[in-house]
């Protein structure tokens, strides 16, 4: 029996949604830490973006446990696309070019 909401597009949407929300929350966390500390706390945007992308392991585990294989495929495609965009934007700095 196919679980409810087991669609490729749902996984793709979840991957983008989780990444955008996590990035915004991590930016807010940096601002909150800067306001609470006596000095400025600054995180690099590339680090925050990589953390936001990697937080997709949480919905991936939910999809795996509930046997939503199509949604998990969409989630993985979204994560790979976001990782490719991250590497395109920040890869030049990492490779020293």
């Amino acid at each position: 029996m196919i679980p409810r909401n087991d669609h490729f597009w749902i996984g793709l949407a979840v991957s983008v949604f989780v990444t955008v929300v996590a990035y915004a929350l991590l930016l807010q966390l940096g601002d909150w830490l800067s306001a609470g500390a006596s000095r400025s706390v600054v995180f690099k945007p590339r680090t925050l973006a990589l953390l936001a992308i990697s937080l997709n392991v949480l919905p991936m585990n939910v999809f795996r446990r509930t046997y939503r294989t199509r949604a998990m495929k969409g989630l993985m495609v979204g994560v790979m696309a976001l990782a490719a965009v991250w590497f395109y934007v920040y890869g030049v700095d990492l490779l020293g070019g």
Side-chain angles (χ1 to χ4, degrees), residues 37-53:
S38 60
R39 60 187 177 101
S40 178
V41 178
V42 179
F43 298 109
K44 291 185 178 180
R46 72 177 184 204
T47 305
L48 295 179
L50 191 60
L51 283 172
I53 291 169

Side-chain angles (χ1 to χ4, degrees), residues 12 15-17 19-20 53 56 77-87:
L12 192 63
S15 69
V16 172
F17 179 77
T19 303
V20 169
I53 291 169
N56 278 307
V77 167
V79 168
M80 289 297 134
L82 290 167
V85 168
W86 181 90
F87 191 74

Side-chain angles (χ1 to χ4, degrees), residues 33-84:
L33 288 174
S34 292
S38 60
R39 60 187 177 101
S40 178
V41 178
V42 179
F43 298 109
K44 291 185 178 180
R46 72 177 184 204
T47 305
L48 295 179
L50 191 60
L51 283 172
I53 291 169
S54 63
L55 281 175
N56 278 307
V57 298
L58 300 173
M60 185 186 315
N61 193 25
V62 170
F63 288 157
R64 184 186 57 84
R65 280 188 288 131
T66 56
Y67 300 104
R68 288 183 167 89
T69 56
R70 292 179 189 155
M72 192 152 82
K73 288 178 186 176
L75 184 79
M76 291 308 299
V77 167
V79 168
M80 289 297 134
L82 290 167

